Amino acid sequence: MSTLHQYHWQDFSGFDRGMALIGPADSLVIYGQLTSGASQLLMQDQRLKGIPWYLVNANDDPHMKDHVIDHHKWLDLIIAHDNTCSWKT
């Protein structure tokens, strides 16, 4: 079974707690406002290697192109996964 994890970006401490919940068949969607520094740290985070993860309507950053989705793709991801889990911080 696969779970789509959803996190409304607050900070890295909430992100770190939620990352412990992600399994090998899961995906992650992050929404909310991220600073460019936070976006760059996400790109370098080794825990995200091999996990499909996405930012909803992120700033136009060419390095993040493969990870940015719109609300329509987000809905497609919800439908494609067996479960959803929202992280509350």
Side-chain angles (χ1 to χ4, degrees):
M1 292 187 67
S2 62
T3 299
L4 179 64
H5 296 263
Q6 302 175 92
Y7 177 55
H8 183 265
W9 183 262
Q10 300 293 319
D11 54 33
F12 272 100
S13 64
F15 176 76
D16 292 341
R17 286 190 298 273
M19 284 301 296
L21 303 172
I22 293 185
D26 298 347
S27 300
L28 170 63
V29 170
I30 301 170
Y31 58 100
Q33 297 295 321
L34 279 79
T35 64
S36 61
S39 297
Q40 291 305 314
L41 288 173
L42 283 175
M43 290 293 294
Q44 298 169 4
D45 194 315
Q46 292 299 310
R47 297 172 296 179
L48 292 173
K49 301 292 184 206
I51 296 172
W53 66 277
Y54 308 94
L55 299 171
V56 178
N57 291 341
N59 295 337
D60 189 22
D61 182 341
H63 302 291
M64 302 293 285
K65 185 177 180 180
D66 294 337
H67 297 285
V68 176
I69 60 173
D70 63 14
H71 287 88
H72 297 290
K73 177 64 176 174
W74 187 5
L75 291 174
D76 291 342
L77 288 168
I78 290 171
I79 293 167
H81 288 78
D82 300 311
N83 302 299
T84 59
C85 174
S86 296
W87 304 347
K88 187 174 183 179
T89 58

